[in-house]
Amino acid sequence: MMELRKAEERGHANHGWLDTYHSFSFADYYDPNHMGFGPLRVINDDRIGAGAGFGMHGHKDMEIITYVLEGELAHRDSLGNGSVIRPEDVQRMSAGTGVRHSESNPAPDRQTHLLQIWIEPNTLGIEPGYEEKRFDQKEKRGRFGLIASPNGSGGAVTIHQDARVYAGLFDGAEHDSFTVASGRRVYVHVARGEVSVNGFALKAGDGLKAIDEPKIEISRGRQGEVLLFDLP
């Protein structure tokens, strides 16, 4: 079974400094039919205005992945970490017993576009942790490149859940397929551009749920950037 959700069906809020779309219920957006998908709880498609950002705030018991598409994001947290992440960087923060952090766009003249992803951990109350790694375009060009996994395999960032996150870039004749293990489910999110997924024409912001599907096939991309979530 496959279920398509178009970009325009997502929750939306424009705060001036932040223009954000929610694939699943978040903050003031609530839809009982879209509370998450397995342990995948949040995909927020955020555009942060120049010089703006989120002040220091707290999280607990959540695996938080930040994937920058355009611009840059400055991060500070109560663990003592501070950095600026840019496109091709992937940041993972395990909130565990509790962590506070801030996120801002340090550029004075352009917005930052990012995806923030929350995945529920399979163990509560762990020690908070932080990690970031860079994944060059060649690792994602025309293929699904692993960017997050439960054990950091393949050079991915480590998350505390039996889930794997892949990123791929597809344009023109580039294509790839992903074999879904028995009992697993898959969620596909198009970050930008256009692609065909198992015959569905998807554009930026679209999401596709797949249950009991043996294979996910990506083709006919037009500057497409895709995240694939392999979930229990």
Side-chain angles (χ1 to χ4, degrees):
M1 181 192 79
M2 305 197 77
E3 179 184 331
L4 172 63
R5 191 176 192 214
K6 304 297 288 182
E8 56 270 21
E9 298 171 3
R10 298 176 295 173
H12 178 232
N14 191 336
H15 304 284
W17 65 273
L18 171 68
D19 190 13
T20 179
Y21 288 85
H22 309 306
S23 293
F24 305 109
S25 294
F26 185 86
D28 292 334
Y29 167 62
Y30 173 74
D31 184 338
N33 295 318
H34 298 283
M35 297 298 296
F37 189 58
L40 176 60
R41 181 62 187 81
V42 166
I43 301 178
N44 287 347
D45 188 346
D46 293 343
R47 288 171 172 82
I48 303 173
F54 301 90
M56 193 66 72
H57 59 285
H59 296 285
K60 185 177 180 181
D61 288 327
M62 194 65 69
E63 302 293 297
I64 301 172
I65 298 171
T66 303
Y67 188 93
V68 177
L69 294 163
E70 297 175 9
E72 52 191 19
L73 186 73
H75 167 95
R76 299 288 183 274
D77 65 42
S78 56
L79 304 176
N81 299 299
S83 65
V84 177
I85 61 172
R86 300 175 175 85
E88 300 184 6
D89 293 333
V90 174
Q91 178 195 81
R92 180 269 303 176
M93 187 173 71
S94 296
T97 55
V99 65
R100 293 177 60 79
H101 75 143
S102 64
E103 302 160 291
S104 62
N105 174 4
D109 57 356
R110 63 173 180 169
Q111 72 173 10
T112 295
H113 183 197
L114 62 92
L115 299 177
Q116 187 161 100
I117 298 150
W118 293 10
I119 295 175
E120 296 172 342
N122 53 18
T123 303
L124 302 181
I126 65 171
E127 182 179 352
Y130 179 88
E131 182 182 14
E132 61 181 67
K133 291 188 177 181
R134 189 166 185 82
F135 298 88
D136 294 337
Q137 284 200 12
K138 64 183 180 182
E139 300 178 65
K140 301 175 285 185
R141 185 83 263 164
R143 60 186 290 268
F144 292 117
L146 184 63
I147 63 171
S149 70
N151 55 10
S153 61
V157 299
T158 299
I159 54 175
H160 298 87
Q161 177 55 265
D162 181 21
R164 290 161 183 81
V165 185
Y166 298 81
L169 302 170
F170 300 95
D171 193 45
E174 294 173 333
H175 66 279
D176 197 11
S177 62
F178 179 84
T179 300
V180 184
S182 177
R184 305 285 290 183
R185 68 184 84 183
V186 165
Y187 190 88
V188 176
H189 177 84
V190 180
R192 54 185 165 190
E194 300 175 6
V195 293
S196 174
V197 182
N198 286 32
F200 288 86
L202 272 62
K203 66 180 187 305
D206 289 351
L208 190 65
K209 296 178 181 178
I211 300 175
D212 294 328
E213 292 289 333
K215 185 174 291 187
I216 303 297
E217 299 193 34
I218 304 276
S219 62
R220 295 197 294 277
R222 295 181 61 185
Q223 298 182 337
E225 186 160 4
V226 179
L227 295 185
L228 183 149
F229 299 84
D230 174 21
L231 304 164

